[in-house]
Amino acid sequence: RRPGAAARMEEEEDEGGGGRGAAGSRAASARFVRCLYAVGFLDLFGVSLVVPLMNLHIKSLGASHTVAGIIGSLYGVMQLFSSTFVGCWSDVVGRRYSLLACILLSALGYFLLGNSTTVILFVISRVPVGIFKHTLSISKALLSDLVSERDRPLVMGRFNAASSVGFILGPVVGGYLAEFEGGFYQTSFICASIFLLNGGLVWMLPWSEENTSNRDHYQDKGTNSFSAKSNHDLHLKSATNRAVTNSSFFQSPWVQVAAMLKKIKGIACSNLWDVFLVRFLMSVAILLYYSNFTLALEERFGVKPLFAGYLMSYSSALGVLAGCLLGPITRLYQHNTYRLLLHSSTFTCMLILLYTSALNIWMVILSSTFLAFSTTIGRTCIIDLELTVGGNEASGTLLGVGQSVTSVGRIIAPLLSGIAQEFSPCGPPSLAVGLALVAIVIMNANKQKYRSHGSVKLKNQ
């Protein structure tokens, strides 16, 4: 009996050790995620120090309004073409090296911006930032690697909230610094220093804990769907994939490019066109809503631009709150991302319609209040739906393509807004309502695929 009892005791100890190991890996994952929240906060805090001051600076260098507009569009065009490739590159070489490269090269761009005494130097400084400023996308891809599909909307919402806090505080600090002599140059150097600090934070992240947490994340998925043998194979496969990814950074550039093109081809041949179309339509709709917001309030209600600025800051603060509340909301919806996205998009459409037909400023405040919640929830849900339907095999590529789709929206929205304003101050939001309705129809037409929660996966590259 003693050998049998000893065997049972050993099994119980193994189970207890496994439980303690799982708890330890969850704690490690939580520490890693909190560090990524800090990365997102510092990223947008640094950027928002400088961005509101850039138009004034480029004009002070002698550029005309047309030249300033062309330079501003140059950044959007570079983001359009670089988003997909940088996201795919992060899948090939690994999140750590790609994230560090993007942060450090962005720091270089802002350092050059701090030395931009001519228009040519200003343009040169925007090139590395336009190509490599994808810190948030890679961080989101890393978060999707770390957490389970069930917890992903909650973690993404908190990450967006932390980043938004940085975007709210940055313009205040940047505006204060700009009051001093040479304020723009000092602000640019501070921004570059913040990016260097962020790079140091990324370098010191507990990447060994990330690997442990990632392995445990795969184990949790395997426990639900596979036998012990299949679970062991999944462990071996995930460990091998990580080893290959970590060494890919030092491979030949041609090998990396070939791997990137293969992943991009897989995305192009997948059935994700409707998800990206929904993202495009809703992005353009929201951009149209904000495109002439200040001017429309002044023309319709005689409201001063200062009040419109306060109202937009109020909406941004509510967006942070919405990101923090995303966890309880997803639990209320039983983690059904499709249904939450459909309802938030419908709510967004109704609120923009309310703003368009508003008879007084209080209706505008009411619509802005709830629109902050619906748009924040919608942005998080569409990213989660991309990863759910597309699968996690190429999360960086998926998020990069999504960013490119949004960049196209940023290029098209000002053109549509200008045409619509020729007819009425309510023209842009009225057009936004129509685009949102089209997005809702597309979601309803493809509801069976969305409800399958990723049963139709992106085929393996």
Side-chain angles (χ1 to χ4, degrees), residues 209-272:
E209 294 180 357
E210 183 268 341
N211 288 337
T212 303
S213 306
N214 217 0
R215 184 166 59 250
D216 186 69
H217 169 57
Y218 280 110
Q219 181 178 5
D220 291 341
K221 285 185 176 181
T223 302
N224 294 331
S225 305
F226 299 100
S227 63
K229 175 66 170 63
S230 299
N231 197 11
H232 174 74
D233 293 341
L234 186 61
H235 283 219
L236 183 62
K237 180 180 178 181
S238 62
T240 304
N241 286 341
R242 283 194 302 274
V244 170
T245 298
N246 290 335
S247 64
S248 295
F249 183 77
F250 304 102
Q251 288 181 353
S252 166
W254 298 111
V255 176
Q256 295 182 19
V257 169
M260 289 166 55
L261 293 176
K262 188 176 180 182
K263 285 181 177 292
I264 293 173
K265 179 183 177 182
I267 297 289
C269 298
S270 68
N271 59 343
L272 287 166

Side-chain angles (χ1 to χ4, degrees), residues 35-167:
C35 290
L36 285 178
Y37 292 161
V39 170
F41 168 80
L42 288 173
D43 181 90
L44 278 192
F45 178 71
V47 169
S48 60
L49 285 174
V50 176
V51 169
L53 309 175
M54 291 181 62
N55 279 337
L56 293 175
H57 179 66
I58 187 65
K59 290 177 183 176
S60 71
L61 297 177
S64 65
H65 292 284
T66 303
V67 172
I70 292 173
I71 295 173
S73 299
L74 176 66
Y75 176 83
V77 172
M78 287 188 291
Q79 287 273 296
L80 168 63
F81 290 104
S82 65
S83 296
T84 300
F85 289 99
V86 173
C88 186
W89 186 55
S90 74
D91 288 330
V92 174
V93 304
R95 311 290 184 220
R96 182 181 190 177
Y97 298 112
S98 58
L99 188 56
L100 271 173
C102 287
I103 290 175
L104 295 179
L105 288 168
S106 297
L108 172 64
Y110 287 112
F111 177 78
L112 293 174
L113 186 65
N115 290 280
S116 59
T117 54
T118 64
V119 175
I120 297 298
L121 289 175
F122 185 92
V123 173
I124 293 173
S125 71
R126 299 302 287 160
V127 173
V129 179
I131 296 174
F132 292 102
K133 177 58 185 72
H134 299 290
T135 313
L136 297 182
S137 296
I138 298 176
S139 298
K140 289 176 182 178
L142 181 53
L143 286 173
S144 71
D145 297 338
L146 276 172
V147 302
S148 64
E149 194 173 289
R150 184 182 182 88
D151 295 331
R152 191 166 55 207
L154 168 64
V155 173
M156 290 290 187
R158 289 178 176 174
F159 179 81
N160 290 335
S163 304
S164 298
V165 170
F167 200 78

Side-chain angles (χ1 to χ4, degrees), residues 314-316 318-319 322 367-377 379:
Y314 165 72
S315 299
S316 299
L318 289 179
S367 63
S368 297
T369 299
F370 290 102
L371 195 65
F373 284 89
S374 65
T375 54
T376 300
I377 293 170
R379 280 196 299 268

Side-chain angles (χ1 to χ4, degrees), residues 233-395:
D233 293 341
L234 186 61
H235 283 219
L236 183 62
K237 180 180 178 181
S238 62
T240 304
N241 286 341
R242 283 194 302 274
V244 170
T245 298
N246 290 335
S247 64
S248 295
F249 183 77
F250 304 102
Q251 288 181 353
S252 166
W254 298 111
V255 176
Q256 295 182 19
V257 169
M260 289 166 55
L261 293 176
K262 188 176 180 182
K263 285 181 177 292
I264 293 173
K265 179 183 177 182
I267 297 289
C269 298
S270 68
N271 59 343
L272 287 166
W273 67 268
D274 51 325
V275 180
F276 290 126
L277 182 57
V278 168
R279 177 167 183 163
F280 171 76
L281 292 171
M282 292 305 300
S283 297
V284 174
I286 295 168
L287 289 168
L288 285 171
Y289 168 79
Y290 285 110
S291 63
N292 71 331
F293 188 76
T294 302
L295 179 62
L297 289 185
E298 186 175 6
E299 291 185 2
R300 294 173 65 190
F301 307 107
V303 173
K304 298 299 182 182
L306 180 62
F307 180 83
Y310 284 138
L311 186 56
M312 294 178 72
S313 297
Y314 165 72
S315 299
S316 299
L318 289 179
V320 174
L321 178 61
C324 296
L325 295 177
L326 199 57
I329 294 173
T330 53
R331 285 194 293 271
L332 179 65
Y333 275 79
Q334 299 178 341
H335 302 275
N336 190 331
T337 304
Y338 157 73
R339 192 155 60 93
L340 181 55
L341 177 62
L342 179 62
H343 290 178
S344 66
S345 300
T346 304
F347 201 34
T348 297
C349 181
M350 293 172 59
L351 290 170
I352 297 177
L353 180 61
L354 176 64
Y355 162 75
T356 304
S357 58
L359 300 177
N360 53 62
I361 193 62
W362 293 107
M363 294 179 68
V364 175
I365 295 174
L366 178 65
S367 63
S368 297
T369 299
F370 290 102
L371 195 65
F373 284 89
S374 65
T375 54
T376 300
I377 293 170
R379 280 196 299 268
T380 305
C381 286
I382 192 63
I383 292 175
D384 186 66
L385 193 63
E386 288 173 9
L387 296 172
T388 300
V389 178
N392 289 325
E393 295 89 350
S395 55

